[in-house]
Amino acid sequence: MCGIIGYVGTKQALPILLEGLKRLEYRGYDSAGVALVGDDAIRITKSAGRISVLEQILKHDDQAVTGIAHTRWATHGAPNDINAHPHTDQSGRFAVVHNGIIENHYTLRTYLQNEGVTFKSDTDTEVLGQLIALLYDGDLEETVRKALHEVRGTYGIAVVCRDEPGVIVAAKRGSPLLVGIGKGEYIVASDASAILAHTSQVVYLEDDEMVCVSANGIRTTTLEDIPVTKKIQEIEWTLDQIELGGHEHFMIKEIHEQGAALKTCMRGRIDPEKGTIHLGGIADVARELTRAKRIILTACGTAWHAGLVGEYLMEELARIPCEVEYASEFRYRNPIIEDGTVVIAISQSGETADTLAALEEAKQRGALALGVVNVVGSSIARTTDAGIYLHVGPEIGVASTKAFSGQVVVLSMLACYLGRRRHMSQPGAEQFLTALERIPEQVTTILEQNDACRKVAETYVDRDNWLYLGRGYQYPVALEGALKLKEISYIHAEGLPAAEMKHGPIALITDDMPVVFIATRGSQYEKIISNIEEVRSRGGRVIAIATEGDHHISQLAESVIYIPDTLEPLQPILTVIPLQLIAYHAALLRGCNVDKPRNLAKSVTVE
Ligand code: F6R
């Protein structure tokens, strides 16, 4: 969703801001803009559409050493030039960029209008700029503090003032914000990827903290003006991890990275020979966790699908009752959290607003709150009592791929860890971990079937409706395969437990309907073969994901993609790979923008 970048230092701000905006593009946006603080004026350039449009109208020789910039994903007001950020007050003395939602913007707008203020845009953000101007007393930091006391809602903001060139004041509540520390220069950003080209030293702001940034340094305080000493942290990611590196799209790059990424995810954590697992991030809560009476996994989208696999894993390996909740539903229900309930939030970005709110709700009700998160230092990671990082590297493609497989690997390790501490035998753990250790190499061999996956996409790409069916561990994979296809190729696809087909969806099957069966060898193999027969007898076009060596299935399906054999609980990590590839090729064949699908944002930081 929206992205913020701000620069204070001695270099020309504009190229740095523009480069930062491009690094933020992956988050999804519909307009962009820049404010440069000159000697006697703030110069704003903004436009609807891509950053390339903004680049065409910018004066590239504009000299300024301080500036702020923004990519907007519309919430209040259409995605047009006027509603694009930065927003100014009516005199043009202040400029503001903002991520989040000012919930009482209507009341504030009415108040300001009664004070004679004229508004230009339909946004909630403009209210902030106008309010700061009305309250300004010669001290930007103090005025922003006063203004924020009047505001309800969420924000990451950066503000500049014509009268105080060389200063950015930034603040955070519920929307990520960090400050990159360079040599005599500072970069405020909503996302580490925007600053990585300049520095890997960073300070993360907490909710209700503010920072006043100038070339002389940074001063962090709370909204109540209590000074805060911040720890400088090192960003783990490297620049080449957030670049295409010769790949056509981030999605295909990240699909191909999965073997290596999963290896990193497991590194130092599993010992198959001894049947042991070391998860340092949860060591402090291991006792409480092992005694859990119930686990609730909460997440959104793809992470929720990983949670569904986690439910099977927790119940089978750890023998702990487990349920999976959409974070958006959990947070507004009146969930029952009893003694011994552990809530685990699963999130790639660590910034998904609903998942964060669900976690906060669970904590407030006394649950032990854990996280399975990719982005180190993200809001969800900082809110949890303990957690396990994915360590799969940055995921830039909007469609989540390596994060899903990483989430399932982490949940597999966690389930085995708990199982081993409760009832699982050492040989049982040894067998499971030996199979898990082989997964990265097996993932890599599946990628060799890229051409076969492209062929499936070519054969059925003109069909507007697809079904994905699986049973047991493969049911969540069916959901994930359908989500991948619809979000990037805009083909309508539905995922279902295969047995549910007979309760309604079978009515959809005609000789035009591609039906993807995840039909690997396992406890429900014969059942799924029966489901395939049911679809065939109604003329459906069967595509099967099957286990290597299963020749029977090639007589039933029009297309088969084979995956190597592994233990049933680990199969989802393998079966999802061909589905990611099929979706990728279908999107390309339909001419879709794979990395920036319409209407979607990488990290959903508003409800
Ligand atoms: C789909 C996708 C989304 C995310 C969801 C949660 O490809 O990426 O469904 O999985 O928005 O995001 P995180 O994991 O960042 O909380």
Side-chain angles (χ1 to χ4, degrees):
M1 287 192 150
C2 306
I4 288 176
I5 171 132
Y7 177 82
V8 172
T10 50
K11 297 185 191 136
Q12 287 308 316
L14 183 55
I16 294 171
L17 295 175
L18 265 178
E19 194 229 315
L21 286 182
K22 287 179 191 165
R23 301 255 184 223
L24 292 169
E25 274 194 298
Y26 80 97
R27 297 173 65 94
Y29 70 105
D30 42 49
S31 54
V34 174
L36 294 173
V37 188
D39 290 339
D40 48 11
I42 296 178
R43 298 182 292 275
I44 309 264
T45 314
K46 55 187 190 172
S47 75
R50 294 274 159 211
I51 291 165
S52 51
V53 179
L54 180 71
E55 279 184 298
Q56 282 164 22
I57 57 169
L58 269 167
K59 289 199 191 86
H60 289 270
D61 54 356
D62 206 341
Q63 309 277 311
V65 292
T66 306
I68 53 177
H70 192 258
T71 47
R72 173 174 187 251
W73 191 87
T75 58
H76 294 63
N80 57 30
D81 293 356
I82 291 175
N83 289 334
H85 299 208
H87 287 284
T88 59
D89 66 303
Q90 55 188 357
S91 70
R93 197 174 180 192
F94 301 88
V96 183
V97 290
H98 164 225
N99 294 352
I101 292 178
I102 305 299
E103 284 165 6
N104 60 338
H105 73 100
Y106 183 74
T107 317
L108 290 172
R109 180 180 276 254
T110 310
Y111 162 74
L112 288 161
Q113 280 167 334
N114 289 339
E115 295 291 314
V117 171
T118 308
F119 280 82
K120 289 194 287 279
S121 78
D122 305 320
T123 64
D124 52 336
T125 304
E126 188 183 350
V127 161
L128 269 178
Q130 303 283 14
L131 183 62
I132 289 166
L134 193 79
L135 297 174
Y136 188 59
D137 57 4
D139 181 342
L140 181 63
E141 183 186 351
E142 197 41 44
T143 308
V144 171
R145 178 173 286 116
K146 263 192 225 155
L148 291 177
H149 277 290
E150 304 303 322
V151 158
R152 268 201 332 273
T154 55
Y155 50 79
I157 56 163
V159 189
V160 288
C161 171
R162 185 189 61 200
D163 304 357
E164 300 182 46
V167 173
I168 296 178
V169 174
K172 164 185 165 26
R173 177 181 289 166
S175 194
L177 211 61
L178 47 92
V179 186
I181 316 283
K183 287 199 183 84
E185 60 181 9
Y186 298 89
I187 307 176
V188 175
S190 53
D191 186 317
S193 62
I195 64 165
L196 210 47
H198 305 278
T199 178
S200 57
Q201 306 269 296
V202 71
V203 161
Y204 292 97
L205 290 198
E206 297 291 336
D207 276 354
D208 294 336
E209 284 182 355
M210 294 181 56
V211 64
C212 183
V213 184
S214 72
N216 301 327
I218 65 169
R219 188 178 104 84
T220 314
T221 52
T222 64
L223 273 192
E224 306 309 324
D225 200 14
I226 298 165
V228 183
T229 309
K230 302 296 289 185
K231 199 169 122 207
I232 297 180
Q233 301 189 38
E234 184 77 23
I235 302 171
E236 274 187 8
W237 296 344
T238 57
L239 202 53
D240 58 326
Q241 284 182 304
I242 58 165
E243 289 180 340
L244 279 168
H247 291 271
E248 205 179 331
H249 299 101
F250 281 108
M251 183 179 176
I252 195 70
K253 175 179 184 240
E254 287 158 7
I255 289 174
H256 279 273
E257 278 170 358
Q258 283 176 108
L262 298 184
K263 227 183 214 170
T264 313
C265 172
M266 291 177 212
R267 185 166 298 135
R269 288 172 159 173
I270 62 170
D271 185 342
E273 276 170 28
K274 295 193 185 122
T276 53
I277 299 174
H278 175 72
L279 297 170
I282 54 166
D284 290 348
V285 297
R287 205 175 145 82
E288 196 179 343
L289 182 57
T290 307
R291 292 177 179 183
K293 296 201 183 95
R294 176 171 163 243
I295 292 177
I296 299 173
L297 301 170
T298 188
C300 305
T302 287
W304 184 80
H305 297 156
L308 284 180
V309 181
E311 179 183 19
Y312 285 88
L313 287 162
M314 292 302 164
E315 297 202 344
E316 183 169 340
L317 272 65
R319 304 297 302 145
I320 302 175
C322 181
E323 55 219 73
V324 190
E325 299 257 13
Y326 282 118
S328 54
E329 292 297 318
F330 179 81
R331 64 181 289 195
Y332 288 118
R333 272 199 301 111
N334 195 356
I336 298 167
I337 305 283
E338 295 156 319
D339 258 8
T341 303
V342 175
V343 174
I344 306 179
I346 308 167
S347 173
Q348 188 285 128
S349 63
E351 302 296 346
T352 302
D354 283 324
T355 311
L356 179 58
L359 190 72
E360 282 165 348
E361 184 64 31
K363 261 185 106 166
Q364 203 172 333
R365 288 168 187 251
L368 176 64
L370 303 187
V372 171
V373 172
N374 194 33
V375 179
V376 175
S378 57
S379 302
I380 292 175
R382 290 202 309 272
T383 305
T384 53
D385 296 314
I388 309 169
Y389 280 118
L390 302 184
H391 293 313
V392 295
E395 191 178 70
I396 307 288
V398 167
S400 193
T401 52
K402 64 177 178 175
F404 175 84
S405 46
Q407 285 154 355
V408 177
V409 165
V410 166
L411 291 167
S412 306
M413 291 191 291
L414 179 60
C416 184
Y417 171 92
L418 293 175
R420 187 71 190 98
R421 288 171 156 249
R422 289 165 69 102
H423 66 89
M424 197 188 235
S425 67
Q426 181 166 337
E430 284 168 12
Q431 188 204 15
F432 185 79
L433 296 179
T434 304
L436 185 61
E437 198 182 35
R438 287 195 61 207
I439 289 285
E441 155 207 328
Q442 292 179 317
V443 164
T444 308
T445 63
I446 298 170
L447 293 168
E448 287 163 14
Q449 299 198 57
N450 184 42
D451 288 348
C453 294
R454 187 190 299 119
K455 216 173 215 153
V456 170
E458 277 165 6
T459 310
Y460 305 103
V461 71
D462 56 343
R463 312 300 149 95
D464 289 328
N465 294 290
W466 293 41
L467 268 186
Y468 285 72
L469 302 176
R471 301 178 78 112
Y473 281 97
Q474 304 300 354
Y475 150 54
V477 179
L479 298 186
E480 177 60 6
L483 177 63
K484 284 292 88 91
L485 188 71
K486 68 185 137 192
E487 70 178 329
I488 56 168
S489 74
Y490 319 141
I491 294 171
H492 174 245
E494 230 182 292
L496 291 167
E500 274 298 302
M501 181 182 60
K502 286 200 279 298
H503 300 282
I506 199 164
L508 294 170
I509 293 177
T510 62
D511 57 7
D512 218 25
M513 166 79 98
V515 185
V516 182
F517 278 94
I518 302 110
T520 42
R521 285 210 192 278
S523 54
Q524 302 199 44
Y525 177 73
E526 281 168 9
K527 305 263 175 223
I528 200 126
I529 293 295
S530 304
N531 297 134
I532 291 179
E533 296 284 13
E534 286 156 8
V535 167
R536 264 165 55 88
S537 57
R538 283 158 186 87
R541 317 284 301 270
V542 175
I543 302 148
I545 311 299
T547 309
E548 252 165 29
D550 181 353
H551 301 301
H552 173 59
I553 212 154
S554 60
Q555 290 155 29
L556 304 178
E558 287 186 25
S559 317
V560 187
I561 310 284
Y562 287 107
I563 62 140
D565 200 9
T566 185
L567 299 179
E568 194 170 348
L570 297 174
Q571 286 176 359
I573 314 168
L574 303 183
T575 51
V576 77
I577 311 282
L579 304 188
Q580 294 168 347
L581 287 169
I582 291 170
Y584 174 74
H585 290 298
L588 284 190
L589 289 162
R590 286 199 159 209
C592 302
N593 188 338
V594 175
D595 280 337
K596 297 185 194 94
R598 73 177 173 218
N599 305 336
L600 284 179
K602 179 63 184 161
S603 140
V604 184
T605 49
V606 295
E607 277 190 55

